[in-house]
Amino acid sequence: MRFKPHDYQYYCINRMINESRLGLLLQMGLGKSVITLTAINELKFYKHQVNKVLIIAPKRVAETTWSDECKKWDHLKHLKISKILGSEKKRIKAVKSEADIYIINRENVTWLVEKFKGEWKWDTVVIDELSSFKNHRAKRFKSLKKMLPHIKRLYGLTGTPAANGLLDLWAQIYLLDQGERLYKTIGQYRERFFLPDKRNAQVIFSYKPKLDAEAVIKELISDICISIKHSDFVDLPDCIYQNQTLILSDRVQKAYLEMEKKLVLELSDTEITAVNAGVLTNKLLQIASGSIYDETGEYHLIHKEKIEVLKETIEQAASPVLVFYNYKHERDLILKEIKEAKVLESDKDIRDWNKGKIPVLLAHPASTAYGLNMQEGGHTVIWFSPTWNLELYEQANARLNRQGQTETVTVNHIIAKNTVDEIVMK
């Protein structure tokens, strides 16, 4: 296929060619992969400013997305890719193979640095989903930080740089500029832009940004980051968000309230106990969706009321649906009750979905969160139960609501009324 870039894609490509450090903070579905590969191709084969490129990505994206993009576009088909995945033996072989681009999943970054820091050969690094390096205490951040003096060009890609707050930005921007814009340490960054929020005596549990923080931070990083939303350049079909609310039966509501008030739920064959508020919240979410786990990890079915709403929603969709679940018991119940349902497990499943061969595809949001192109297979998302994680939520929805989608995308949430489901949604 011939690549005909949009104006904003031309702009991003040229910025990458002309700058050695850049954050592409582009909303999901705006073509970060083809932009990056086009710039790399230009830098390597026409400008001769790049030798070996390392792309760090979420595992499933590392397995499929980047190589699929090279196969898809005519001007990229000549790029040689080596995937540093699998067993250690396979990873070592991939590192020593001759290629233009090497792709590794982020979990193996520390291994790569420890194993090959003395013979580091990648002058250019691309971090696909830069937000996965937001934790300055994480091993992957510390390992990559050690190699910064050996990296001439570094690009970070993400559509959700601060989904959980501005504190997440420090580590990501540090990898781009080594602390030039947002201070050399996280402590200095916190002191300048944040105030203590929740605390217990001298122990601070969280921070809140000062009044001027967001505006000042955006200004400080504006020269090293490009931020683009769909609405700025791309006309996408509408995305409709709606709740399918159910009122739990008296029997289930009674069990829910018993657990909520007493932190104990007595079942016919066992007793479930919540030892603290965090465990209680999880137990209440489980009850709302149909089952509850005991201390051994076994789950006990309480009701099938959500599954009935799911069936109705699937029937109304009259097209392939992508269903997100949070607990294993939800997945098992859906597979049992909806015979045409299939769990996303492989690259073949993604291809079959895009060909319209899978009417009901089940996925955990973490397994589809980043980079997967699934917009050809359908336009209906159903959340069997809500997730606390805003970043995963936005990324998961963007598997269908992205460039190339031709239909209005509908995102449905099955919400049990008067339960913690409603709190999560808020």
Side-chain angles (χ1 to χ4, degrees):
M1 185 184 297
R2 187 182 170 203
F3 178 48
K4 299 177 181 178
H6 296 281
D7 289 344
Y8 76 87
Q9 291 176 321
Y10 265 125
Y11 174 76
C12 292
I13 291 165
N14 286 329
R15 286 283 300 271
M16 292 185 75
I17 291 170
N18 293 318
E19 298 173 33
S20 60
R21 296 287 195 278
L22 193 65
L24 285 186
L25 313 185
L26 274 60
Q27 217 168 31
M28 292 79 79
L30 288 176
K32 293 187 286 290
S33 300
V34 69
I35 288 170
T36 302
L37 289 168
T38 301
I40 287 171
N41 185 56
E42 180 76 15
L43 284 165
K44 181 172 176 63
F45 293 102
Y46 297 93
K47 303 288 186 181
H48 305 293
Q49 294 180 19
V50 161
N51 185 25
K52 301 293 183 184
V53 179
L54 178 69
I55 296 178
I56 303 166
K59 186 173 184 293
R60 195 177 292 278
V61 175
E63 290 170 340
T64 62
T65 302
W66 288 92
S67 53
D68 286 351
E69 285 289 303
C70 289
K71 294 173 186 174
K72 179 179 179 180
W73 304 107
D74 294 341
H75 70 299
L76 302 175
K77 288 182 177 178
H78 63 281
L79 290 173
K80 295 179 181 177
I81 290 180
S82 180
K83 298 179 183 180
I84 310 173
L85 305 170
S87 66
E88 183 172 31
K89 184 178 179 181
K90 289 181 179 178
R91 296 198 301 269
I92 292 172
K93 183 179 179 181
V95 168
K96 295 183 176 180
S97 298
E98 188 60 33
D100 304 313
I101 297 172
Y102 298 77
I103 305 174
I104 190 168
N105 58 309
R106 57 200 182 194
E107 292 80 7
N108 279 323
V109 168
T110 297
W111 169 84
L112 184 70
V113 170
E114 291 177 353
K115 190 81 175 176
F116 294 97
K117 60 185 176 183
E119 44 188 318
W120 187 268
K121 63 181 180 181
W122 300 279
D123 59 333
T124 299
V125 171
V126 175
I127 306 174
D128 188 358
E129 287 315 324
L130 180 62
S131 59
S132 64
F133 281 77
K134 64 190 176 187
N135 185 355
H136 66 284
R137 295 191 181 93
K139 286 184 178 181
R140 68 180 69 154
F141 171 81
K142 293 178 179 179
S143 296
L144 192 58
K145 181 182 175 184
K146 293 176 185 176
M147 305 314 297
L148 290 178
H150 305 283
I151 300 170
K152 294 179 180 178
R153 288 177 174 266
L154 192 145
Y155 305 107
L157 323 178
T158 183
T160 52
N164 296 313
L166 293 171
L167 267 175
D168 289 349
L169 282 176
W170 182 81
Q172 299 174 66
I173 301 302
Y174 184 92
L175 290 176
L176 296 176
D177 71 356
Q178 289 78 69
E180 182 181 333
R181 289 162 181 80
L182 300 183
Y183 299 96
K184 294 291 184 183
T185 69
I186 184 70
Q188 292 173 315
Y189 177 62
R190 270 199 305 253
E191 184 177 350
R192 166 61 182 88
F193 294 111
F194 299 86
L195 294 169
D197 189 13
K198 296 177 182 178
R199 65 191 302 167
N200 180 10
Q202 299 303 312
V203 180
I204 301 172
F205 298 113
S206 63
Y207 292 85
K208 59 183 178 182
K210 294 178 181 177
L211 288 177
D212 67 336
E214 184 170 359
V216 175
I217 290 169
K218 283 182 176 180
E219 178 63 27
L220 287 172
I221 67 174
S222 61
D223 66 319
I224 203 171
C225 294
I226 302 172
S227 179
I228 297 176
K229 298 180 293 185
H230 284 124
S231 56
D232 294 333
F233 292 98
V234 181
D235 291 327
L236 279 179
D238 291 336
C239 185
I240 300 170
Y241 297 85
Q242 57 190 25
N243 292 347
Q244 313 284 32
T245 303
L246 76 145
I247 299 175
L248 297 173
S249 66
D250 291 343
R251 176 185 65 83
V252 177
Q253 195 71 50
K254 182 180 178 181
Y256 182 93
L257 291 173
E258 181 183 341
M259 173 58 86
E260 185 177 38
K261 292 178 179 179
K262 299 179 180 178
L263 277 68
V264 175
L265 178 61
E266 292 186 9
L267 302 176
S268 59
D269 55 349
T270 189
E271 183 179 271
I272 311 293
T273 303
V275 296
N276 56 48
V279 173
L280 175 62
T281 300
N282 266 326
K283 298 297 184 190
L284 294 176
L285 280 170
Q286 292 162 25
I287 293 173
S289 67
S291 298
I292 190 167
Y293 288 97
D294 62 26
E295 293 179 358
T296 68
E298 295 295 319
Y299 58 82
H300 304 265
L301 181 68
I302 295 177
H303 67 89
K304 295 183 180 180
E305 295 173 25
K306 265 200 179 185
I307 204 77
E308 295 305 319
V309 178
L310 177 62
K311 290 177 181 177
E312 293 172 6
T313 309
I314 290 172
E315 186 176 346
Q316 292 167 3
S319 68
V321 298
L322 178 58
V323 179
F324 289 111
Y325 65 88
N326 285 298
Y327 296 103
K328 182 176 178 287
H329 72 76
E330 297 174 346
R331 181 199 67 190
D332 292 350
L333 182 60
I334 295 169
L335 288 173
K336 182 179 179 181
E337 296 289 327
I338 301 175
K339 300 304 180 186
E340 64 269 30
K342 171 79 172 67
V343 177
L344 173 59
E345 296 176 320
S346 66
D347 303 342
K348 182 179 183 299
D349 294 331
I350 295 173
R351 291 193 293 270
D352 286 347
W353 161 263
N354 279 324
K355 292 176 182 177
K357 293 182 178 181
I358 303 177
V360 180
L361 184 63
L362 305 185
H364 190 279
S367 71
T368 62
Y370 306 105
L372 300 182
N373 293 310
M374 302 175 69
Q375 65 272 32
E376 295 177 21
H379 52 271
T380 301
V381 174
I382 303 174
W383 287 85
F384 191 76
S385 62
T387 175
W388 288 104
N389 192 312
L390 175 63
E391 181 175 0
L392 286 186
Y393 174 78
E394 291 181 339
Q395 290 276 2
N397 290 336
R399 296 316 99 214
L400 302 190
N401 185 35
R402 62 195 295 111
Q403 193 167 293
Q405 178 61 258
T406 59
E407 304 286 343
T408 296
V409 174
T410 303
V411 179
N412 301 277
H413 316 92
I414 302 178
I415 303 300
K417 192 173 179 60
N418 297 322
T419 73
V420 73
D421 278 4
E422 295 179 317
I423 298 172
V424 178
M425 285 302 299
K426 287 179 183 178

